[in-house]
Amino acid sequence: MPSPAHPTLRSPGEPVSEAGATSRSEGLPHAGRPALGGRPTAAVLRVACGGEGFARARVFTRDTLRGWSLDHRGDDAVLVITELISNAVTHAVPSAAADAPEIRLGLALGLGALTLTVSDPGDDAPVFNPSDGSALREHGRGLCIVDALAEEWGWTPRPPAGKTVWATLSTRSLT
């Protein structure tokens, strides 16, 4: 179920590290403490708007979770990230200025929770269409999948333009 907006992965104007590097995590729900013996608890990736970008985002997510000993959350996290990036590419990038179609993926580890974020240049709120029972519907199921897998999810504007959509997953083992 969507919940109130939370702070973004980074403040507007804050420089973002290069792809694959770690980033500041202040402002993210459940993030910011060195929880793994001083190792980074947040990571960010610049995502290209295409098949290669999707594949890179999935590998980055799995590799980061493996480094955090969260392999057991890999499938759900990859599915959530794929849906959020797909929504950004489909809905936000086409309406963005030609020189600004940038998408960023963020992962932040906190006590008992993993926060996944996707920041895009679009200003429009994500549209959640609860399932109408049609399993054969080709489009419009992404946020239903996110809603089913995440403990909570939502979005926040990213001034001066854009937004960040986020979802939290429990880090507990399901078995």
Side-chain angles (χ1 to χ4, degrees):
M1 170 164 71
S3 60
H6 282 264
T8 60
L9 176 63
R10 64 183 172 87
S11 301
E14 177 184 39
V16 177
S17 57
E18 288 304 309
T22 58
S23 174
R24 289 182 5 152
S25 57
E26 290 97 0
L28 273 176
H30 313 292
R33 294 182 197 86
L36 300 171
R39 291 187 293 176
T41 58
V44 66
L45 175 73
R46 185 176 303 143
V47 180
C49 298
E52 184 177 317
F54 282 80
R56 190 169 173 219
R58 287 189 287 268
V59 168
F60 175 80
T61 300
R62 285 199 187 278
D63 288 350
T64 301
L65 294 184
R66 188 175 303 113
W68 292 342
S69 300
L70 291 174
D71 298 62
H72 63 282
R73 296 310 322 225
D75 291 340
D76 288 349
V78 165
L79 185 52
V80 167
I81 284 297
T82 300
E83 293 299 337
L84 295 181
I85 291 173
S86 177
N87 282 349
V89 168
T90 302
H91 302 290
V93 170
S95 65
D99 61 338
E102 187 172 281
I103 297 174
R104 294 198 186 274
L105 155 66
L107 305 171
L109 179 60
L111 298 176
L114 171 67
T115 302
L116 312 169
T117 64
V118 173
S119 298
D120 66 52
D123 291 321
D124 295 333
V127 177
F128 177 69
N129 295 316
S131 178
D132 61 3
S134 174
L136 300 178
R137 193 172 64 187
E138 186 174 349
H139 298 286
R141 297 182 306 190
L143 289 178
C144 290
I145 293 169
V146 171
D147 190 59
L149 294 174
E151 289 196 1
E152 60 180 350
W153 69 273
W155 73 282
T156 187
R158 201 174 49 128
K163 68 179 170 299
T164 297
V165 182
W166 57 266
T168 58
L169 303 175
S170 170
T171 58
R172 291 186 321 263
S173 179
L174 300 176
T175 57

